[in-house]
Amino acid sequence: MIEGWRWYGDFDRISLGEIAQTGAASIVTALHEVPYGEVWQKDTIAARRNRINRAGFAWTVVESLPLHERIKRGEGDLSVLLANYRQSMANLAAEGIKVICYNFMPLLDWTRTDLTAPVHRGGTCLRYSEVRMAAFDICMVRRPGAEESFAPDTVKAAKAWFQASTQEDRDLLTTSIMAGLPGAYDRFDPDGLREALKPYEGLSRDDLRANFKRFLDEVIPAAEELGLSFAVHPDDPPKDILGLPRIVTGAQDIEKILAAHDSRANGLTLCAGSLGANPANDVPAIARRFADRIHFAHLRNVAKEPDGSFEEAAHLEGDTDMVALVKALLDEETRRKAEGRADADIVFRPDHGHELLDDASRKTHPGYPLIGRMRGLAELRGIIAGLTGPRP
């Protein structure tokens, strides 16, 4: 397995030189400065690749090549947007990129209600509170029908939280929920978000699946010709948010997506945290079931609560058996090598580390601290060494 590290380019407060000290070998990044729907120009990609290579890293995985929201909504004439996307794919392939990670979550990316929840023995983590999400949806966004999306006890607790909260509490909640939009610079206040949700009214899961199928039909043949592998990222959290349907939440959803265009180029980013937040998911079993189509992996852990809340756990301390998961990925690598496949080695990265020691002073992207992720990488490296022996 190839140790990766997510880097936000010039927006990142962690330098490539510092990342080199973690031992990671591969940088996972994107052109976060390019607006959604525009072409990623070849010279810009080449400049980014050269910068990464000069620092001693490989760049083979893009995270992410984002989709314009009109593609997700299936809205209007999409020919220009889809042509631009394919041109970006071609430009990436020309510069040696092999894997494109992307998601199909409408409007919002990963969603958390707390960015600095305290951790036992010190440090902070990302947290999703079902009660605070309900308070935001019902009392702040005031989305029609929001109460029907939550359990009665959650609604009651959400209203109690809202009544007891200060404006500062509410502003912090809004900021936390909006934080999961890397590379997308639209940030909404509750009223603005209510307006932003209107174009999605009536969008069902079946509608979203049909729009996803249309996207795959447009890009997977091109990916096959270019030697690219697409790797859809599961929804985070794996449930409907603000009335928006989510369709990449577990094994059944993944099976439908992979069957929608039955090609090895149509694959999966195995995100242990996103899938692990769904109580119905056995993440190692999912990894074994879809092993042949896993092109990239996010290895992190979560600790779930009965009401649907969860928080980011240390990599070896959450609900997912990380040793079993890593073994499933290593077994798949062994199988691929026996077949002589060029994509035998799977790039993985530690994800959503705790803020530890002086991480908080850096004010990095939420979930992407230096020390916390380095701890996670070291723990994952230890698992791999225990299963395969130390690195040469």
Coordinates of all heavy atoms in Angstrom, one line a residue, residues 9-101:
G9 N -2.4 22.5 -1.5 CA -1.7 23.5 -2.3 C -1.4 24.8 -1.5 O -1.1 24.8 -0.3
D10 N -1.5 25.9 -2.2 CA -1.2 27.2 -1.6 C -2.2 27.5 -0.5 O -1.9 28.5 0.3 CB -1.2 28.3 -2.7 CG 0.0 28.2 -3.6 OD1 1.0 27.6 -3.2 OD2 -0.2 28.6 -4.8
F11 N -3.3 26.8 -0.4 CA -4.3 27.1 0.7 C -3.9 26.3 2.0 O -4.6 26.5 3.0 CB -5.7 26.7 0.2 CG -6.2 27.4 -1.0 CD1 -6.3 26.8 -2.2 CD2 -6.5 28.8 -0.9 CE1 -6.8 27.5 -3.3 CE2 -7.0 29.4 -2.0 CZ -7.1 28.8 -3.2
D12 N -2.9 25.5 1.9 CA -2.6 24.6 3.0 C -1.5 25.3 3.9 O -0.5 25.8 3.4 CB -2.0 23.3 2.5 CG -2.3 22.1 3.5 OD1 -2.1 22.3 4.7 OD2 -2.7 21.1 3.0
R13 N -1.7 25.2 5.2 CA -0.8 25.7 6.2 C 0.3 24.7 6.5 O 1.2 25.0 7.3 CB -1.5 26.2 7.4 CG -2.5 27.4 7.2 CD -3.2 27.8 8.4 NE -4.2 28.9 8.1 CZ -3.9 30.2 8.2 NH1 -2.7 30.5 8.6 NH2 -4.8 31.0 8.0
I14 N 0.3 23.6 5.9 CA 1.3 22.6 6.1 C 2.1 22.5 4.8 O 1.5 22.3 3.7 CB 0.7 21.2 6.4 CG1 -0.2 21.3 7.7 CG2 1.7 20.1 6.6 CD1 -1.0 20.1 8.0
S15 N 3.4 22.6 4.9 CA 4.2 22.6 3.7 C 4.6 21.2 3.2 O 4.5 20.2 4.0 CB 5.5 23.4 4.0 OG 6.4 22.6 4.9
L16 N 5.0 21.1 2.0 CA 5.5 19.8 1.5 C 6.7 19.3 2.2 O 6.9 18.1 2.4 CB 5.8 20.0 0.0 CG 4.6 20.1 -1.0 CD1 5.0 20.5 -2.4 CD2 3.7 18.9 -1.0
G17 N 7.5 20.3 2.7 CA 8.7 19.9 3.4 C 8.3 19.2 4.8 O 8.9 18.3 5.2
E18 N 7.3 19.7 5.4 CA 6.8 19.1 6.6 C 6.2 17.8 6.4 O 6.3 16.8 7.1 CB 5.8 20.1 7.3 CG 6.5 21.3 7.9 CD 5.5 22.3 8.4 OE1 4.5 22.6 7.7 OE2 5.7 22.9 9.5
I19 N 5.4 17.7 5.3 CA 4.8 16.4 4.9 C 5.8 15.4 4.7 O 5.7 14.2 5.1 CB 3.9 16.6 3.7 CG1 2.7 17.5 4.0 CG2 3.3 15.2 3.3 CD1 1.9 17.9 2.8
A20 N 7.0 15.7 4.1 CA 8.0 14.8 3.8 C 8.5 14.1 5.1 O 8.9 12.9 5.2 CB 9.2 15.5 3.2
Q21 N 8.5 14.9 6.2 CA 8.9 14.3 7.5 C 8.0 13.3 8.1 O 8.3 12.6 9.0 CB 9.1 15.5 8.5 CG 10.2 16.5 8.1 CD 10.4 17.6 9.1 OE1 10.5 17.4 10.3 NE2 10.3 18.8 8.5
T22 N 6.8 13.2 7.6 CA 5.8 12.2 8.1 C 6.1 10.8 7.5 O 5.6 9.8 8.0 CB 4.4 12.5 7.7 OG1 4.2 12.4 6.3 CG2 4.0 14.0 8.1
G23 N 6.9 10.8 6.4 CA 7.2 9.5 5.7 C 6.3 9.2 4.6 O 6.5 8.2 3.9
A24 N 5.2 10.0 4.4 CA 4.3 9.7 3.3 C 5.1 9.8 1.9 O 6.0 10.6 1.8 CB 3.2 10.7 3.3
A25 N 4.6 9.0 0.9 CA 5.2 9.0 -0.3 C 4.5 9.6 -1.5 O 5.1 10.0 -2.5 CB 5.5 7.5 -0.7
S26 N 3.2 9.8 -1.3 CA 2.3 10.3 -2.4 C 1.4 11.4 -1.9 O 0.9 11.4 -0.8 CB 1.5 9.2 -2.9 OG 0.7 9.6 -4.0
I27 N 1.4 12.5 -2.7 CA 0.5 13.6 -2.4 C -0.8 13.4 -3.1 O -0.9 13.1 -4.3 CB 1.1 14.9 -2.8 CG1 2.3 15.3 -1.9 CG2 0.1 16.1 -2.7 CD1 2.0 15.5 -0.5
V28 N -1.9 13.7 -2.4 CA -3.3 13.6 -2.9 C -3.8 15.1 -2.9 O -3.8 15.7 -1.8 CB -4.2 12.7 -2.0 CG1 -5.6 12.8 -2.5 CG2 -3.7 11.3 -2.0
T29 N -4.1 15.6 -4.0 CA -4.4 17.0 -4.1 C -5.3 17.3 -5.3 O -5.7 16.4 -6.0 CB -3.2 17.9 -4.1 OG1 -3.5 19.3 -3.9 CG2 -2.4 17.8 -5.4
A30 N -5.7 18.6 -5.4 CA -6.5 19.1 -6.5 C -6.2 20.5 -6.8 O -5.5 21.2 -6.1 CB -8.0 18.9 -6.1
L31 N -6.8 21.0 -7.9 CA -6.7 22.5 -8.2 C -7.9 23.1 -7.5 O -8.9 23.5 -8.2 CB -6.7 22.7 -9.7 CG -5.6 22.0 -10.5 CD1 -5.6 22.4 -11.9 CD2 -4.2 22.2 -9.9
H32 N -7.8 23.4 -6.2 CA -8.9 23.9 -5.5 C -9.3 25.3 -5.9 O -10.4 25.7 -5.6 CB -8.6 23.8 -4.0 CG -8.4 22.5 -3.4 ND1 -9.5 21.6 -3.3 CD2 -7.3 21.8 -3.0 CE1 -9.0 20.4 -2.8 NE2 -7.7 20.5 -2.6
E33 N -8.4 26.0 -6.6 CA -8.7 27.4 -6.9 C -9.5 27.5 -8.2 O -10.0 28.6 -8.5 CB -7.4 28.1 -7.2 CG -6.5 27.6 -8.3 CD -5.6 26.4 -8.0 OE1 -5.8 25.8 -6.9 OE2 -4.7 26.2 -8.7
V34 N -9.7 26.4 -8.9 CA -10.5 26.4 -10.2 C -12.0 26.3 -9.9 O -12.4 25.3 -9.3 CB -10.0 25.3 -11.1 CG1 -10.8 25.4 -12.4 CG2 -8.5 25.4 -11.4
P35 N -12.8 27.3 -10.4 CA -14.2 27.1 -10.1 C -14.8 25.9 -10.7 O -14.4 25.4 -11.8 CB -14.8 28.4 -10.8 CG -13.7 29.4 -10.9 CD -12.4 28.5 -11.0
Y36 N -15.8 25.3 -10.1 CA -16.5 24.1 -10.5 C -17.0 24.3 -11.9 O -17.7 25.4 -12.2 CB -17.7 23.7 -9.6 CG -17.3 23.2 -8.2 CD1 -16.0 23.4 -7.8 CD2 -18.2 22.6 -7.4 CE1 -15.6 22.9 -6.5 CE2 -17.8 22.2 -6.1 CZ -16.5 22.3 -5.7 OH -16.2 21.8 -4.5
G37 N -16.8 23.4 -12.8 CA -17.3 23.4 -14.1 C -16.3 23.9 -15.2 O -16.6 23.7 -16.4
E38 N -15.2 24.5 -14.7 CA -14.2 25.0 -15.6 C -13.2 24.0 -15.9 O -13.0 23.1 -15.1 CB -13.6 26.3 -15.1 CG -14.6 27.5 -15.1 CD -13.9 28.8 -14.7 OE1 -12.6 28.8 -14.7 OE2 -14.6 29.8 -14.5
V39 N -12.5 24.1 -17.0 CA -11.5 23.1 -17.4 C -10.2 23.3 -16.6 O -9.8 24.4 -16.3 CB -11.1 23.3 -18.9 CG1 -9.9 22.4 -19.3 CG2 -12.3 22.9 -19.8
W40 N -9.7 22.2 -16.1 CA -8.3 22.2 -15.5 C -7.3 22.2 -16.6 O -7.2 21.3 -17.3 CB -8.1 21.0 -14.6 CG -8.9 21.0 -13.3 CD1 -10.0 21.8 -13.0 CD2 -8.7 20.2 -12.2 NE1 -10.4 21.5 -11.7 CE2 -9.7 20.6 -11.2 CE3 -7.8 19.2 -11.9 CZ2 -9.7 19.9 -10.0 CZ3 -7.8 18.6 -10.6 CH2 -8.8 18.9 -9.7
Q41 N -6.6 23.4 -16.7 CA -5.6 23.5 -17.8 C -4.4 22.7 -17.6 O -3.9 22.5 -16.5 CB -5.3 25.0 -18.0 CG -6.4 25.9 -18.3 CD -7.1 25.6 -19.6 OE1 -6.5 25.1 -20.5 NE2 -8.4 25.8 -19.6
K42 N -3.9 22.1 -18.7 CA -2.8 21.2 -18.7 C -1.5 21.9 -18.1 O -0.8 21.2 -17.3 CB -2.5 20.7 -20.1 CG -1.4 19.6 -20.1 CD -1.3 19.0 -21.5 CE -0.3 17.8 -21.5 NZ 1.1 18.3 -21.2
D43 N -1.3 23.1 -18.4 CA 0.0 23.7 -17.9 C -0.1 24.0 -16.3 O 0.9 23.9 -15.6 CB 0.3 25.0 -18.6 CG -0.9 26.1 -18.5 OD1 -2.0 25.7 -18.1 OD2 -0.7 27.2 -18.9
T44 N -1.4 24.2 -15.9 CA -1.5 24.4 -14.4 C -1.4 23.1 -13.7 O -0.8 23.0 -12.6 CB -2.9 25.0 -14.1 OG1 -3.1 26.1 -14.9 CG2 -3.1 25.3 -12.6
I45 N -1.9 22.0 -14.3 CA -1.7 20.7 -13.7 C -0.2 20.3 -13.7 O 0.3 19.8 -12.7 CB -2.5 19.6 -14.5 CG1 -4.0 19.9 -14.4 CG2 -2.2 18.2 -14.0 CD1 -4.8 19.1 -15.4
A46 N 0.5 20.6 -14.8 CA 1.9 20.2 -14.9 C 2.7 21.0 -13.9 O 3.6 20.4 -13.3 CB 2.4 20.6 -16.3
A47 N 2.4 22.3 -13.7 CA 3.1 23.1 -12.7 C 2.9 22.5 -11.3 O 3.8 22.4 -10.5 CB 2.6 24.5 -12.7
R48 N 1.7 22.0 -11.0 CA 1.4 21.4 -9.7 C 2.2 20.1 -9.5 O 2.8 19.8 -8.5 CB -0.1 21.2 -9.5 CG -0.5 20.6 -8.2 CD -0.2 21.5 -7.0 NE -0.9 22.8 -7.1 CZ -2.1 23.1 -6.7 NH1 -2.9 22.1 -6.2 NH2 -2.6 24.3 -6.9
R49 N 2.1 19.3 -10.6 CA 2.8 18.0 -10.6 C 4.3 18.2 -10.4 O 5.0 17.5 -9.6 CB 2.6 17.2 -11.8 CG 3.3 15.9 -11.9 CD 3.1 15.2 -13.2 NE 3.5 16.0 -14.4 CZ 4.7 16.2 -14.8 NH1 5.8 15.7 -14.1 NH2 5.0 17.0 -15.8
N50 N 4.9 19.2 -11.1 CA 6.4 19.4 -11.0 C 6.7 19.9 -9.6 O 7.8 19.5 -9.1 CB 6.8 20.5 -12.0 CG 6.7 19.9 -13.5 OD1 6.8 18.7 -13.7 ND2 6.6 20.8 -14.4
R51 N 5.9 20.7 -9.0 CA 6.2 21.2 -7.7 C 6.2 20.0 -6.7 O 7.0 19.9 -5.8 CB 5.1 22.2 -7.3 CG 5.3 22.8 -5.9 CD 4.2 23.9 -5.7 NE 4.2 24.4 -4.3 CZ 3.3 25.2 -3.9 NH1 2.3 25.7 -4.6 NH2 3.4 25.7 -2.6
I52 N 5.2 19.1 -6.8 CA 5.1 17.9 -6.0 C 6.3 17.0 -6.2 O 6.9 16.5 -5.2 CB 3.8 17.2 -6.2 CG1 2.6 18.1 -5.7 CG2 3.8 15.8 -5.6 CD1 1.3 17.6 -6.2
N53 N 6.7 16.8 -7.4 CA 7.8 15.9 -7.8 C 9.1 16.5 -7.2 O 9.9 15.7 -6.7 CB 7.9 15.7 -9.3 CG 6.8 14.9 -9.9 OD1 6.6 14.9 -11.1 ND2 6.0 14.2 -9.0
R54 N 9.3 17.8 -7.3 CA 10.5 18.4 -6.8 C 10.7 18.2 -5.3 O 11.8 18.1 -4.8 CB 10.6 19.9 -7.2 CG 10.9 20.2 -8.6 CD 11.3 21.6 -8.8 NE 10.2 22.5 -8.4 CZ 9.3 23.0 -9.2 NH1 9.2 22.6 -10.5 NH2 8.4 23.8 -8.7
A55 N 9.5 18.1 -4.6 CA 9.6 17.9 -3.2 C 9.7 16.4 -2.8 O 9.8 16.1 -1.6 CB 8.3 18.4 -2.6
G56 N 9.8 15.5 -3.8 CA 10.1 14.1 -3.5 C 8.9 13.2 -3.5 O 9.0 12.1 -3.0
F57 N 7.8 13.7 -4.0 CA 6.5 12.9 -3.9 C 6.0 12.6 -5.3 O 6.4 13.2 -6.3 CB 5.4 13.7 -3.2 CG 5.7 14.1 -1.8 CD1 6.2 15.4 -1.5 CD2 5.4 13.2 -0.7 CE1 6.4 15.7 -0.2 CE2 5.7 13.6 0.6 CZ 6.2 14.8 0.9
A58 N 5.2 11.6 -5.3 CA 4.4 11.3 -6.5 C 3.0 11.9 -6.4 O 2.6 12.2 -5.3 CB 4.3 9.7 -6.7
W59 N 2.4 12.2 -7.5 CA 1.0 12.6 -7.5 C 0.3 11.8 -8.5 O 0.4 12.0 -9.7 CB 0.9 14.1 -7.9 CG -0.5 14.6 -7.9 CD1 -1.6 14.2 -7.2 CD2 -1.0 15.8 -8.7 NE1 -2.7 14.9 -7.5 CE2 -2.4 15.9 -8.4 CE3 -0.4 16.6 -9.6 CZ2 -3.2 16.9 -9.0 CZ3 -1.2 17.6 -10.2 CH2 -2.5 17.7 -9.9
T60 N -0.5 10.8 -8.1 CA -1.2 9.9 -8.9 C -2.7 10.0 -8.7 O -3.5 9.5 -9.5 CB -0.8 8.5 -8.8 OG1 -0.9 8.1 -7.5 CG2 0.7 8.3 -9.3
V61 N -3.2 10.5 -7.5 CA -4.6 10.6 -7.2 C -5.0 12.0 -7.0 O -4.4 12.8 -6.3 CB -4.9 9.8 -5.8 CG1 -6.3 10.0 -5.5 CG2 -4.5 8.4 -5.9
V62 N -6.1 12.4 -7.8 CA -6.7 13.7 -7.6 C -7.9 13.6 -6.6 O -8.7 12.7 -6.8 CB -7.2 14.2 -9.0 CG1 -8.2 15.3 -8.8 CG2 -6.1 14.7 -9.8
E63 N -7.9 14.4 -5.7 CA -9.1 14.5 -4.8 C -9.3 16.0 -4.5 O -8.6 16.6 -3.7 CB -8.8 13.8 -3.5 CG -10.0 13.8 -2.5 CD -9.7 13.1 -1.2 OE1 -8.7 12.5 -1.0 OE2 -10.6 13.1 -0.4
S64 N -10.4 16.5 -5.1 CA -11.3 15.8 -6.0 C -11.4 16.6 -7.3 O -11.0 17.8 -7.4 CB -12.7 15.8 -5.4 OG -12.8 15.1 -4.2
L65 N -11.9 16.0 -8.4 CA -12.3 16.7 -9.6 C -13.8 16.9 -9.4 O -14.6 16.0 -9.8 CB -12.0 15.9 -10.8 CG -12.3 16.6 -12.2 CD1 -11.7 17.9 -12.3 CD2 -12.0 15.7 -13.3
P66 N -14.2 18.1 -8.9 CA -15.6 18.2 -8.5 C -16.6 18.4 -9.6 O -16.2 18.8 -10.7 CB -15.6 19.5 -7.6 CG -14.4 20.3 -8.1 CD -13.4 19.2 -8.6
L67 N -17.8 18.0 -9.4 CA -18.9 18.1 -10.3 C -19.7 19.4 -10.1 O -20.0 19.7 -8.9 CB -19.9 16.9 -10.3 CG -19.5 15.6 -10.8 CD1 -18.4 15.0 -10.0 CD2 -20.6 14.7 -10.9
H68 N -20.1 20.1 -11.1 CA -21.0 21.2 -11.0 C -22.3 20.7 -10.5 O -22.8 19.6 -10.9 CB -21.1 21.9 -12.4 CG -21.7 23.3 -12.3 ND1 -23.1 23.5 -12.1 CD2 -21.1 24.5 -12.3 CE1 -23.3 24.8 -12.1 NE2 -22.1 25.4 -12.2
E69 N -23.0 21.5 -9.7 CA -24.2 21.1 -9.1 C -25.3 20.9 -10.1 O -26.2 20.1 -9.9 CB -24.7 22.2 -8.1 CG -23.9 22.2 -6.8 CD -23.9 20.9 -6.1 OE1 -25.0 20.4 -5.8 OE2 -22.8 20.4 -5.8
R70 N -25.2 21.5 -11.3 CA -26.2 21.3 -12.3 C -26.2 19.8 -12.8 O -27.2 19.3 -13.2 CB -26.0 22.2 -13.5 CG -26.5 23.7 -13.2 CD -26.3 24.6 -14.4 NE -26.8 23.9 -15.6 CZ -26.3 24.2 -16.8 NH1 -25.2 25.0 -17.0 NH2 -26.8 23.6 -17.9
I71 N -25.0 19.2 -12.8 CA -24.9 17.8 -13.2 C -25.6 16.9 -12.2 O -26.3 16.0 -12.6 CB -23.4 17.4 -13.3 CG1 -22.7 18.2 -14.4 CG2 -23.3 15.9 -13.5 CD1 -21.2 17.9 -14.6
K72 N -25.5 17.2 -10.9 CA -26.2 16.4 -9.9 C -27.7 16.6 -10.0 O -28.4 15.7 -9.8 CB -25.7 16.8 -8.5 CG -24.2 16.6 -8.3 CD -23.7 17.1 -7.0 CE -22.2 17.1 -6.9 NZ -21.7 17.6 -5.6
R73 N -28.1 17.8 -10.3 CA -29.6 18.1 -10.5 C -30.1 17.6 -11.8 O -31.3 17.6 -12.0 CB -29.9 19.6 -10.3 CG -29.6 20.1 -8.9 CD -30.2 21.5 -8.6 NE -29.7 22.5 -9.5 CZ -28.7 23.4 -9.3 NH1 -28.1 23.3 -8.1 NH2 -28.4 24.3 -10.2
G74 N -29.2 17.4 -12.8 CA -29.7 17.0 -14.1 C -30.4 18.2 -14.8 O -31.3 18.0 -15.5
E75 N -29.8 19.4 -14.6 CA -30.5 20.6 -14.9 C -30.1 21.2 -16.3 O -28.9 21.5 -16.4 CB -30.3 21.6 -13.8 CG -31.0 23.0 -14.0 CD -30.6 23.9 -12.9 OE1 -31.2 23.7 -11.8 OE2 -29.7 24.7 -13.0
G76 N -31.0 21.3 -17.2 CA -30.7 22.0 -18.5 C -29.7 21.3 -19.4 O -29.4 20.1 -19.3
D77 N -29.1 22.0 -20.3 CA -28.1 21.5 -21.3 C -26.8 21.3 -20.5 O -26.2 22.3 -20.2 CB -28.0 22.4 -22.5 CG -27.1 21.9 -23.5 OD1 -26.5 20.8 -23.3 OD2 -26.8 22.6 -24.5
L78 N -26.4 20.1 -20.4 CA -25.1 19.8 -19.6 C -23.9 19.6 -20.6 O -22.9 19.2 -20.1 CB -25.3 18.6 -18.7 CG -26.4 18.8 -17.7 CD1 -26.6 17.5 -16.9 CD2 -26.2 19.9 -16.7
S79 N -24.1 19.7 -21.8 CA -23.1 19.3 -22.8 C -21.8 20.0 -22.6 O -20.7 19.4 -22.6 CB -23.6 19.5 -24.2 OG -23.9 20.9 -24.4
V80 N -21.8 21.3 -22.3 CA -20.6 22.1 -22.1 C -19.9 21.7 -20.8 O -18.7 21.4 -20.7 CB -20.8 23.6 -22.1 CG1 -19.6 24.4 -21.6 CG2 -21.3 24.1 -23.4
L81 N -20.7 21.5 -19.7 CA -20.1 21.1 -18.4 C -19.4 19.7 -18.5 O -18.3 19.5 -18.0 CB -21.2 21.1 -17.3 CG -21.6 22.4 -16.8 CD1 -22.8 22.3 -15.9 CD2 -20.5 23.2 -16.2
L82 N -20.1 18.8 -19.2 CA -19.6 17.5 -19.4 C -18.4 17.4 -20.3 O -17.4 16.7 -20.0 CB -20.7 16.5 -19.9 CG -21.8 16.2 -18.8 CD1 -23.0 15.6 -19.5 CD2 -21.3 15.4 -17.7
A83 N -18.4 18.2 -21.3 CA -17.2 18.3 -22.2 C -16.0 18.9 -21.4 O -14.9 18.4 -21.6 CB -17.5 19.2 -23.4
N84 N -16.3 19.9 -20.6 CA -15.2 20.5 -19.8 C -14.6 19.5 -18.9 O -13.4 19.4 -18.6 CB -15.7 21.7 -19.0 CG -15.9 22.9 -19.9 OD1 -15.6 22.9 -21.1 ND2 -16.5 24.0 -19.3
Y85 N -15.5 18.7 -18.3 CA -15.0 17.6 -17.3 C -14.2 16.6 -18.0 O -13.1 16.2 -17.6 CB -16.3 16.9 -16.7 CG -16.0 16.2 -15.4 CD1 -16.2 16.9 -14.2 CD2 -15.5 14.9 -15.4 CE1 -15.9 16.2 -13.0 CE2 -15.2 14.3 -14.2 CZ -15.4 14.9 -13.0 OH -15.1 14.3 -11.8
R86 N -14.6 16.2 -19.2 CA -13.8 15.2 -20.0 C -12.4 15.8 -20.4 O -11.4 15.1 -20.4 CB -14.5 14.7 -21.2 CG -15.7 13.7 -20.8 CD -16.2 13.1 -22.1 NE -16.8 14.0 -23.0 CZ -18.1 14.4 -23.0 NH1 -18.9 13.9 -22.1 NH2 -18.6 15.3 -23.8
Q87 N -12.4 17.1 -20.7 CA -11.2 17.7 -21.1 C -10.2 17.8 -19.9 O -9.0 17.6 -20.0 CB -11.4 19.1 -21.6 CG -10.1 19.8 -22.1 CD -9.5 19.1 -23.3 OE1 -10.1 18.8 -24.3 NE2 -8.2 18.6 -23.1
S88 N -10.8 18.1 -18.7 CA -10.0 18.1 -17.5 C -9.4 16.7 -17.3 O -8.2 16.5 -16.9 CB -10.8 18.5 -16.3 OG -11.2 19.9 -16.4
M89 N -10.2 15.7 -17.5 CA -9.7 14.3 -17.4 C -8.6 14.0 -18.3 O -7.5 13.4 -17.9 CB -10.9 13.3 -17.7 CG -12.0 13.3 -16.7 SD -13.5 12.4 -17.3 CE -12.8 10.8 -17.8
A90 N -8.7 14.4 -19.5 CA -7.6 14.2 -20.5 C -6.3 14.9 -20.1 O -5.2 14.4 -20.2 CB -8.1 14.7 -21.9
N91 N -6.5 16.2 -19.6 CA -5.3 16.9 -19.2 C -4.6 16.3 -18.0 O -3.4 16.3 -17.8 CB -5.7 18.4 -18.9 CG -6.2 19.1 -20.1 OD1 -5.9 18.7 -21.2 ND2 -6.8 20.2 -19.9
L92 N -5.4 15.7 -17.0 CA -4.9 15.1 -15.9 C -4.1 13.8 -16.3 O -3.0 13.5 -15.9 CB -6.0 14.7 -14.9 CG -6.5 15.9 -14.1 CD1 -7.9 15.5 -13.4 CD2 -5.5 16.3 -13.0
A93 N -4.8 13.0 -17.2 CA -4.1 11.8 -17.6 C -2.8 12.1 -18.3 O -1.8 11.3 -18.2 CB -5.1 11.0 -18.6
A94 N -2.8 13.2 -19.1 CA -1.5 13.5 -19.8 C -0.4 13.8 -18.9 O 0.8 13.7 -19.2 CB -1.8 14.7 -20.7
E95 N -0.7 14.2 -17.6 CA 0.3 14.5 -16.6 C 0.5 13.4 -15.6 O 1.1 13.6 -14.6 CB -0.1 15.8 -15.9 CG 0.0 17.0 -16.8 CD 1.3 17.3 -17.4 OE1 2.3 17.0 -16.7 OE2 1.4 17.6 -18.6
G96 N 0.0 12.2 -15.9 CA 0.4 11.0 -15.1 C -0.6 10.7 -14.0 O -0.3 9.8 -13.2
I97 N -1.7 11.4 -13.9 CA -2.7 11.1 -12.9 C -3.4 9.8 -13.3 O -3.8 9.6 -14.4 CB -3.8 12.2 -12.8 CG1 -3.1 13.5 -12.3 CG2 -4.9 11.8 -11.8 CD1 -2.3 13.4 -11.0
K98 N -3.6 8.9 -12.3 CA -4.2 7.6 -12.5 C -5.6 7.4 -11.9 O -6.4 6.7 -12.4 CB -3.3 6.5 -12.0 CG -1.9 6.5 -12.6 CD -2.0 6.2 -14.1 CE -0.6 6.1 -14.7 NZ -0.6 5.9 -16.2
V99 N -5.9 8.1 -10.8 CA -7.2 8.0 -10.1 C -7.8 9.3 -9.9 O -7.2 10.3 -9.4 CB -6.9 7.3 -8.7 CG1 -8.2 7.2 -7.9 CG2 -6.3 5.9 -9.0
I100 N -9.1 9.4 -10.1 CA -9.9 10.6 -9.8 C -10.9 10.2 -8.8 O -11.8 9.4 -9.0 CB -10.6 11.1 -11.1 CG1 -9.6 11.6 -12.1 CG2 -11.6 12.2 -10.7 CD1 -10.2 12.1 -13.4
C101 N -10.8 10.8 -7.6 CA -11.7 10.7 -6.5 C -12.7 11.8 -6.7 O -12.4 13.0 -7.0 CB -11.0 10.8 -5.2 SG -12.1 10.9 -3.7

